[in-house]
Amino acid sequence: MKLMFASDIHGSVYFCEKMLEAYQKEEADRLILLGDLLYHGPRNDLPKDYAPKQVIFLLNEIKDDICAVRGNCDAEVDQMVLEFPIMADYCIILEGNRTIYASHGHIFNKDNLPPLKEGDIFIHGHTHVWKAKKREHYVLLNPGSVSLPKEGNIQTYGILEDGMFTVRGFGGEIVKSLKV
């Protein structure tokens, strides 16, 4: 199974379109959205082409492909307009004999880990900074931010396929690959 992970759209129709173009090009089986879909939040500037109503329309068009978790900027009012569930704090994806634990990152993070077994994968967004590291007992991943990257990063998403996690920019460039 090929999974695409994306986080922190923050209402940017421009970068939502880029994300969906990448999703089609990647021919992934599922799009896992790691929260902060519509609202930019009080700490962020408005992202390019901030248009949450258009983002709603674009995401609802592929609702059957999406698995999403709630970010710190997501609210019940967002759930009222989105046609797929977004209010869960985490989702669990089983891959062979290990678990992929996906969350936004504001509740569960490297300092407050979810329940993980040896070799499990923990993936989150929230920081707007991509990450791909093997820790002592688990793998820590972050696809970065679709619209508002930090620390000099570019806009990115992640692909997990055949035990390889790859962070990519929307121009197709590979930012990081890690065998997980």
Side-chain angles (χ1 to χ4, degrees):
M1 179 176 277
K2 185 175 186 178
L3 301 173
M4 180 171 164
F5 293 87
S7 189
D8 299 286
I9 301 167
H10 287 293
S12 170
V13 70
Y14 176 83
F15 286 111
C16 184
E17 287 173 340
K18 293 278 187 195
M19 176 192 73
L20 295 176
E21 288 169 12
Y23 178 64
Q24 287 185 343
K25 182 179 175 189
E26 294 284 356
E27 297 180 347
D29 297 297
R30 287 280 188 175
L31 176 58
I32 314 299
L33 296 178
L34 300 175
D36 287 358
L37 306 180
L38 303 179
Y39 179 53
H40 62 90
R43 294 186 190 108
N44 297 313
D45 292 330
L46 285 175
K48 181 177 180 156
D49 294 340
Y50 181 68
K53 288 181 183 178
Q54 292 175 311
V55 172
I56 292 164
F57 175 79
L58 292 173
L59 295 178
N60 282 342
E61 281 196 318
I62 64 159
K63 64 185 177 188
D64 294 336
D65 289 8
I66 295 175
C67 179
V69 297
R70 179 181 65 89
N72 59 304
C73 293
D74 298 323
E76 289 180 18
V77 69
D78 300 331
Q79 183 63 84
M80 295 170 72
V81 296
L82 291 168
E83 298 172 5
F84 53 92
I86 68 160
M87 296 307 292
D89 289 326
Y90 61 90
C91 80
I92 294 174
I93 303 162
L94 300 176
E95 182 194 52
N97 62 350
R98 67 178 171 183
T99 298
I100 301 169
Y101 195 104
S103 189
H104 179 62
H106 66 297
I107 296 173
F108 297 106
N109 51 57
K110 66 179 179 59
D111 298 320
N112 184 35
L113 290 172
L116 299 170
K117 288 186 173 184
E118 182 80 30
D120 283 350
I121 296 171
F122 175 48
I123 186 164
H124 69 87
H126 185 58
T127 64
H128 298 224
V129 177
W130 64 264
K131 187 170 293 248
K133 289 189 174 186
K134 289 186 178 182
R135 299 289 189 183
E136 189 174 341
H137 301 292
Y138 69 99
V139 179
L140 177 64
L141 305 174
N142 187 322
S145 175
V146 168
S147 67
L148 296 168
K150 295 182 179 177
E151 297 183 10
N153 287 300
I154 61 171
Q155 287 82 7
T156 54
Y157 63 93
I159 294 291
L160 181 61
E161 181 179 33
D162 297 329
M164 182 68 70
F165 182 73
T166 305
V167 178
R168 291 194 175 124
F170 292 118
E173 60 275 27
I174 295 176
V175 177
K176 173 77 175 183
S177 288
L178 179 71
K179 183 79 173 156
V180 297

